[in-house]
Amino acid sequence: MMLRITRRGCGWLAALMVFASGPASAKPAHHEVRIRRDTWGVPHILAKTDADAAYGLGFAQSEDDMATLQLSVFTARGRLAELQGPSGVDSDYLVALQDVWGTIGRRYGRDLDPQARRVLEAYAAGANAYGRRHPKEVAPGLLPVTGQDLAASFIYTGPTFYGLDGVFHRTMAPAARKVAEIDADKLPTGSNGLAVAPSRSADGATRLLVNSHQPYTGPLAWYEAVIETQQGWHVAGGFFPGTPFMLHGHNAHLGWANTVNNPDLADVYALSMNPADPDQYRLDGTWKTLAKRTVRIKVKRPDGGFDTIEREVLRAAQGPAMRTDHGVYAIRYAGLDEVRQPEQYYRLNKAQNVAQWKAALSLGVLPSINYVYADEKGNIGYVYNGRFPVRKEGVDWSGVVPGDRSDLIW
C-alpha cells in the first residue's frame, strides 16, 4: 500500500494508490484517487472510476472524523453499547428486532445493484486504509469496515426519518407511561428547501436553496464533499459519515433539497396469544408460532469492562414482535426487509436530466423524505416521497390493529 502526498500553494493535494494483497489467484485491488482540500477544508475528490472516488471519500471522511464514522458503523452493527455503555442498548436491540443483518444476509448480494456494491465496498476499503495507518483512532473491533456495514446503516437509519424508532419505543413503553404526548409548548422546527424557476428570477436563472436542519455533530450531521469521476459521477453536497452517496445537493445538471415529512408508514398489531403456549398467536383461526431468538448485547461499564445482557427477539407474520406488560404486539413498516436504498441514492446522484432523476426516484425504496428539485433547464418541482402501504379499506388504521387477520397484513 502506498500513499503519496504533494503540496501545492496554500492548499494540499493527496494522491492515494492502493495495491492490496490477496490470494494468489485474485487480482489485487487497485484504487487511484486525488483528494484536494479547498480553503475551508472541503475535500474535492477526483478519480477515473466511481469506486476509486468512493475509496477517496472513505479515506477523507475517516481523516476528518473517524470517531463519528465508527460510531455509525457500530450503530449499524448493533454494537453501539460497546462504545457508549447502557445508552446504546436500546439502539442495539432495535437493530436486532428489525433484523437488519438478516436482511443484509438475504438481500445484499441478491438485490443490490453490483455497481452500487462496488462503491460501498470501495468506500469501506478507504476507511480501512486510514484506520490501519492511524490505529490509535480506531476502536477495538471496528476493522475491517465492510460494504455490508454501510448498507446496514441505510436499512436502520432510513425509517427513523419518519419516526419508526418512536413507534417501537411507544409500543414497548410500560402501561403506566402510555399517555398522550403533549407538545403544545414546543416551538415548530423543520428543514427548508426552495426552488425558484427562471420566470421568477430577474436574471432568468434557476435557483435552489438546500437548507436542512441537521445536528452539528454525530452520525446525522452533514459532511460536505465534492466528487468528480470520468464515469459521470459529479456531485457537490451533503453526506452523512459512513455514507458514500450524496444525500442532497447538486450535480452538474440538477439538484435537490430534502426535508423530513411525516407520512403514516407503520402499523402496530395486537396479537392474540395462546393461553396454553406463550409463543403462539392466532392468525386466521389457527395458532402460529413466533420466530424467536436471543441476542446478546455487550455493554461497556464506566470502569472500561463489559457486561453482557440478553434480549428476546420475536417475529410474527406482520414483522418484528415484542412482549410488553400490556400485551404482545407486532409492527409492520415501510422499509421492512429493503436493502436497495444505496442504489436509489446512487441513481439520483448520477441523473443527468429530470427524466432520469424521476426514473431514479421511481425505484421507490426510500421510505420517506420530501424532495425539492431544480435543474439547468429551468424545471422545478416538489415530491412528497413515501413508500406508502396499500391498506385494506373500511378498517380504522389510526390506532392498534387486530393481529389475527392476514388480510390486514399489507
Side-chain angles (χ1 to χ4, degrees), residues 13-358:
L13 174 150
L16 297 94
M17 289 179 287
V18 173
F19 304 88
S21 60
S25 60
K27 183 179 180 180
H30 177 91
H31 293 291
E32 293 189 24
V33 57
R34 180 178 298 173
I35 305 173
R36 295 177 176 176
R37 300 276 182 172
D38 62 24
T39 303
W40 297 275
V42 174
H44 294 239
I45 299 166
L46 309 175
K48 291 182 178 180
T49 71
D50 295 353
D52 288 345
Y55 177 92
L57 180 64
F59 192 95
Q61 281 199 338
S62 301
E63 185 174 48
D64 291 336
D65 192 1
M66 172 56 87
T68 303
L69 189 151
Q70 69 185 1
L71 183 66
S72 297
V73 172
F74 273 95
T75 298
R77 288 175 177 173
R79 294 171 51 191
L80 183 60
E82 290 184 34
L83 292 182
Q84 293 189 340
S87 64
V89 170
D90 283 353
S91 175
D92 292 348
Y93 177 53
L94 289 182
V95 170
L97 195 61
Q98 293 171 224
D99 196 28
V100 168
W101 284 91
T103 301
I104 290 292
R106 291 186 298 272
R107 299 182 178 274
Y108 180 81
R110 186 190 74 185
D111 294 353
L112 192 57
D113 176 72
Q115 181 59 29
R117 290 202 309 269
R118 281 192 286 272
V119 170
L120 291 169
E121 289 157 10
Y123 176 101
N128 291 331
Y130 180 85
R132 286 191 294 268
R133 289 184 175 90
H134 303 87
K136 292 183 179 180
E137 298 182 32
V138 176
L142 173 70
L143 301 182
V145 178
T146 68
Q148 289 94 327
D149 289 323
L150 308 180
S153 184
F154 281 97
I155 294 171
Y156 179 60
T157 303
T160 66
F161 281 98
Y162 67 80
L164 178 64
D165 50 336
V167 174
F168 277 107
H169 285 126
R170 287 191 297 273
T171 303
M172 291 185 287
R177 283 172 38 203
K178 294 186 76 61
V179 297
E181 295 182 357
I182 300 175
D183 292 324
D185 296 329
K186 184 178 179 181
L187 292 174
T189 61
S191 303
N192 307 127
L194 179 67
V196 180
S199 62
R200 297 289 185 175
S201 299
D203 57 1
T206 307
R207 289 182 168 82
L208 176 69
L209 172 69
V210 180
N211 184 31
S212 73
H213 297 178
Q214 293 299 113
Y216 286 121
T217 60
L220 299 181
W222 288 120
Y223 178 86
E224 186 179 359
V226 180
I227 291 175
E228 183 173 5
T229 77
Q230 294 180 20
Q231 292 183 326
W233 188 20
H234 187 187
V235 294
F239 301 73
F240 286 154
T243 304
F245 304 106
M246 185 189 75
L247 303 181
H248 74 172
H250 66 90
N251 62 29
H253 307 282
L254 55 86
W256 65 91
N258 290 130
T259 65
V260 172
N261 54 359
N262 190 30
D264 179 9
L265 302 181
D267 285 303
V268 179
Y269 297 79
L271 301 183
S272 298
M273 307 306 294
N274 186 349
D277 187 339
D279 292 334
Q280 289 189 335
Y281 65 103
R282 188 168 59 245
L283 187 65
D284 295 336
T286 62
W287 295 116
K288 304 291 185 181
T289 301
L290 291 165
K292 183 170 70 170
R293 62 190 177 96
T294 300
V295 295
R296 296 168 60 85
I297 300 173
K298 189 176 179 181
V299 185
K300 187 175 182 179
R301 298 195 303 263
D303 63 7
F306 294 91
D307 295 316
T308 300
I309 64 173
E310 293 185 349
R311 288 284 183 93
E312 177 185 62
V313 174
L314 304 174
R315 198 171 184 93
Q318 294 87 346
M322 302 149 291
R323 301 185 204 272
T324 74
D325 67 350
H326 46 87
V328 182
Y329 300 91
I331 295 179
R332 192 163 188 81
Y333 59 92
L336 179 70
D337 294 334
E338 180 56 70
V339 75
R340 294 174 294 165
Q341 288 191 45
E343 179 180 341
Q344 183 157 341
Y345 280 116
Y346 189 30
R347 292 188 187 186
L348 290 170
N349 278 208
K350 298 194 71 171
Q352 302 295 297
N353 53 53
V354 65
Q356 292 180 9
W357 188 85
K358 289 169 69 175

